[in-house]
Amino acid sequence: MKADQNTVSFTLNGELKTFATEPDEKLLTLLRREGYRGTKYGCGQGTCGACTMILDGRAVYACLLYAKQAEGRSVRTIESAGTFEEPVEFQKELIAAGAVQCGYCIPGMVMSATALMETETVFEDEIVREYMDGNLCRCTGYEKIWIALRKVLDRREASDKAGNNSSAKGAK
Amino acid sequence: MKLCEFIRPTSLSEAREALRELGPKGMPLAGGTALHFMQTKTPVTAVDITRLGLSYIRQEGDFFTIGATTPLSDIQRHRAHGWAMHEIARNISTHQIRNVSTIGGNICRVFPWADLPVVLLAMNAHMVIYTGDGKEEEVAADDYFAAQPAKRFNGGNILTAVKVPVLKAHQGFGSVKAARNAAAFSLVTVCALLELDDGRIKTARVSAGSAIPFPHRLPSVETALIGREAVSAVFREAAAKSGTEVKWCAREGMSEDYTRQLAEVSLADALEKAAAYANGRTK
Ligand SMILES: Cc1cc2nc3c(=O)[nH]c(=O)nc-3n(C[C@H](O)[C@H](O)[C@H](O)COP(=O)(O)OP(=O)(O)OC[C@H]3O[C@@H](n4cnc5c(N)ncnc54)[C@H](O)[C@@H]3O)c2cc1C
Ligand code: FES
Ligand code: FES
C-alpha cells in the first residue's frame, strides 16, 4: 500500500510511462514539467478548463488532480489529438471558423469535445453544452467555437444515420 | 492542503486501519477536489479510497444505494423509476468537476455551498459508515446533518454508501439551485419532498442550504403545508414561513432581504416541481 512515494506510472497517450513525482505534485505540473505543454495552466483551481485532459475516458481538470491519483490509469492529453501538420477534424473546423484567437482555451476545448464524441452517440445541444460547460474562453464569445463543433457533430450524426461508422475519420 | 504521503489501500478495513493509526495526520481522499478549500498547518497523508469498489448505484428494496465514491456525473446520468437525484447533480459545478467529485466528498465535510446535503435532508437519506471490524452504522439524514459530519470520521471511519429512498407513486421531489450561472456556487439551494393524497399534502420535508451557514430543514414551512391543498397559493404562503427557523444571510452583492426573497421564490418553485412530480406530470 505504501508504494514508492516518488514515482507514478500511468498510460500516457497510449504508452505506459513512469515519472518521478512527489505526493503533493499536481498532475498538471508533472505533465508540463515532462514537456507535455499543450495542457495549459489557467486558474489552477478548477474553474477555467484550460487544463482539461482525459482520464479513463472522462474529461477532468489536471490542475485539481494529484499526479498520484493517475496511478495505473489512462491519461490522454492534447498531444494525442492532432499535430500542426495533421489536425483532427474539430481542430480543422476551429481554424476554418476563425474560432481561435489567443488559443489558450483551445486544447481544453478539444479534449472536452473528444470526450463528448467518444462517449455519446446523440449530440443534442443540451448534451453538447453539458460536456463543454467547464471550458471558458475569454476571447471569442463562444459563437465560433460552437459553430465549429456543431459542424463536426452534425456530420457525425448524418454519417451515423447513413450507417457509416467511420465518421470519426471526418472531413478532409 | 499539502500532502506528505499518498497511500492506496486495497480494502476497506486496511483503509480504516491506516486512517485510525494516522489520526489527524491522515485524510481520506476521494476525488480530492475539496482539498483546495481546506487548510492544515501540517501536511497530511492522503489515503486514496477510490479503489475499494465503492463506486456504484443499485436499487435495493425501497432504497437506491449509492457508493460513497460514486462521481457526481454517474448520479447525473442515472435514470430509474422513483429516482430524482440527477437534476441537482447536473447543477453542480462543471462537467470536469462532476467526473471527479464524489457524493461522499460532498457530504463528509460539508461546505456551506454544498448542494447534496440539502437534497439528502429533504429525501430523508441514510448514510452508511464503516466503523471497523466489519461493522457498519446507518445514520439518518436529520441526525447526520445536525452538525458538521466531518467529526464522525475523525477516528478513521469511512462513509461507504448513501441510501436514498425510491420515490413512491404519490411522492414527488423538487429542487432549485439559484446561481449566477450554471457552474457557479449556489446562492440558495432548496429541496422539497411531498407526499400527496387526493390533491392534499400528506407529508412534507423541506430543506435549504447555501444562503445559511449550514444546511437545514424548514419545519415551519413543512407544518404550513401539511393537510393543505397542493396549489401555488399554499406553496407561496408556506414559503413565506421559512424565516422562522433560518436567518437568510446577506452575500456578495445581495442584501439579506434579497436573499430571503430569492429563497422564498425558489421554495415555491421547488414545491411546484415536487407536486408536479407526484402528480406524474414530469419525468
Ligand atoms: C471549482 C469548484 C466548484 C464547485 N462547486 C460546487 C457546487 O456548486 N456545489 C457543490 O455541492 N459542490 C461543488 N463543488 C464540489 C465540492 O465542493 C467538493 O469539491 C466535492 O464535493 C468533494 O468531493 P471529492 O470527492 O473531490 O472529495 P475530497 O476532496 O476527496 O474529500 C472532501 C472531504 O471529505 C472527506 N471524505 C471524502 N470521502 C469520504 C468518505 N467516503 N468517508 C469519509 N470522509 C470522506 C475527505 O477526507 C475530505 O475531508 C465544487 C468544487 C470545485 C473545485
Ligand atoms: S487550470 Fe485547471 S481548470 Fe483552470
Ligand atoms: S481563444 Fe483566447 S481564451 Fe479562447
Side-chain angles (χ1 to χ4, degrees):
Chain A
M1 149 169 106
K2 294 205 180 188
D4 188 351
Q5 289 298 308
N6 296 316
T7 64
V8 62
S9 302
F10 52 84
T11 306
L12 178 58
N13 301 332
E15 253 181 85
L16 184 62
K17 300 230 173 193
T18 299
F19 297 106
T21 187
E22 34 190 85
D24 202 44
E25 185 169 49
K26 289 289 152 67
L27 185 54
L28 177 61
T29 319
L30 182 151
L31 289 170
R32 291 185 57 82
R33 177 166 52 68
E34 293 291 337
Y36 298 86
R37 303 242 178 89
T39 311
K40 301 298 179 209
Y41 181 102
C43 63
Q45 48 183 338
T47 52
C48 77
C51 66
T52 303
M53 41 139 245
I54 298 179
L55 181 71
D56 284 350
R58 296 183 186 214
V60 300
Y61 293 143
C63 71
L64 288 187
L65 285 172
Y66 292 96
K68 292 193 81 72
Q69 285 178 279
E71 179 69 39
R73 301 188 185 234
S74 155
V75 173
R76 269 154 64 209
T77 64
I78 186 68
E79 282 81 6
S80 70
T83 60
F84 185 76
E85 291 75 24
E86 273 190 80
V88 294
E89 189 183 359
F90 180 36
Q91 288 169 322
K92 285 185 205 168
E93 290 297 350
L94 285 166
I95 298 164
V100 183
Q101 290 188 30
C102 80
Y104 209 77
C105 68
I106 300 296
M109 294 277 180
V110 172
M111 293 320 278
S112 286
T114 304
L116 163 72
M117 289 185 261
E118 289 178 355
T119 316
E120 305 294 336
T121 47
V122 180
F123 304 114
E124 283 160 9
D125 285 359
E126 180 65 14
I127 291 173
V128 179
R129 268 193 209 102
E130 197 238 295
Y131 274 79
M132 303 304 291
D133 76 355
N135 293 81
L136 300 186
C137 173
R138 53 174 197 167
C139 305
T140 66
Y142 304 101
E143 193 69 23
K144 291 177 174 174
I145 295 175
W146 180 264
I147 289 168
L149 181 55
R150 212 46 272 182
K151 274 199 178 152
V152 178
L153 301 177
D154 289 348
R155 214 178 277 137
R156 266 175 200 238
E157 279 183 336
S159 154
D160 280 351
K161 261 194 208 131
N164 175 4
N165 287 326
S166 64
S167 60
K169 305 256 167 10
K172 288 271 134 61
Chain B
M1 166 151 311
K2 263 190 103 53
L3 304 186
C4 57
E5 200 186 4
F6 194 104
I7 60 176
R8 213 172 287 114
T10 51
S11 71
L12 196 54
S13 54
E14 202 185 310
R16 181 174 187 284
E17 200 41 37
L19 286 163
R20 196 189 57 77
E21 273 173 28
L22 285 159
K25 285 185 247 150
M27 153 136 338
L29 179 120
T33 61
L35 268 59
H36 305 264
F37 303 125
M38 293 155 59
Q39 304 298 332
T40 46
K41 284 193 203 93
T42 45
V44 299
T45 296
V47 180
D48 187 346
I49 56 163
T50 60
R51 297 167 200 233
L52 307 176
L54 298 177
S55 178
Y56 58 84
I57 303 175
R58 345 182 235 263
Q59 188 164 345
E60 293 170 334
D62 292 340
F63 288 93
F64 291 107
T65 307
I66 309 170
T69 63
T70 306
L72 302 181
S73 50
D74 288 4
I75 295 172
Q76 171 199 340
R77 297 255 148 74
H78 193 75
R79 292 292 183 277
H81 195 70
W83 166 264
M85 294 286 290
H86 54 282
E87 185 187 43
I88 199 88
R90 168 69 181 89
N91 291 326
I92 295 180
S93 196
T94 63
H95 181 75
Q96 290 93 323
I97 298 268
R98 293 190 293 272
N99 275 339
V100 175
S101 280
T102 66
I103 183 170
N106 201 268
I107 65 163
C108 284
R109 176 174 303 268
V110 174
F111 291 94
W113 62 77
D115 293 305
L116 291 183
V118 190
V119 179
L120 299 177
L121 266 172
M123 284 212 177
N124 200 8
H126 288 206
M127 280 26 93
V128 184
I129 300 171
Y130 181 71
T131 55
D133 298 329
K135 285 199 260 329
E136 279 183 342
E137 192 182 280
E138 202 170 303
V139 186
D142 286 333
D143 182 11
Y144 183 88
F145 294 114
Q148 174 59 260
K151 290 188 203 110
R152 294 180 182 271
F153 303 103
N154 285 346
N157 292 348
I158 296 169
L159 182 84
T160 54
V162 177
K163 291 168 71 179
V164 185
V166 177
L167 298 186
K168 303 204 180 75
H170 42 275
Q171 285 185 320
F173 180 78
S175 63
V176 171
K177 172 179 178 175
R180 272 182 222 275
N181 62 54
F185 286 119
S186 170
L187 297 172
V188 62
T189 297
V190 290
C191 297
L193 178 68
L194 295 180
E195 188 181 359
L196 303 187
D197 183 12
D198 206 15
R200 285 190 178 272
I201 301 161
K202 201 170 151 198
T203 63
R205 286 180 70 99
V206 181
S207 58
S210 267
I212 47 180
F214 204 75
H216 219 282
R217 286 257 311 270
L218 302 172
S220 303
V221 177
E222 294 169 359
T223 310
L225 290 165
I226 292 165
R228 309 279 306 275
E229 240 185 300
V231 294
S232 306
V234 170
F235 297 152
R236 282 198 299 273
E237 202 185 299
K241 300 270 197 282
S242 67
T244 323
E245 36 257 337
V246 295
K247 188 173 177 310
W248 302 110
C249 306
R251 315 276 296 279
E252 317 137 43
M254 297 178 5
S255 68
E256 240 169 68
D257 197 49
Y258 180 92
T259 311
R260 177 189 58 76
Q261 286 189 42
L262 182 65
E264 286 180 11
V265 170
S266 304
L267 273 167
D269 286 351
L271 290 164
E272 294 279 3
K273 279 191 186 182
Y277 189 129
N279 288 324
R281 282 201 292 271
T282 55
K283 50 193 157 134

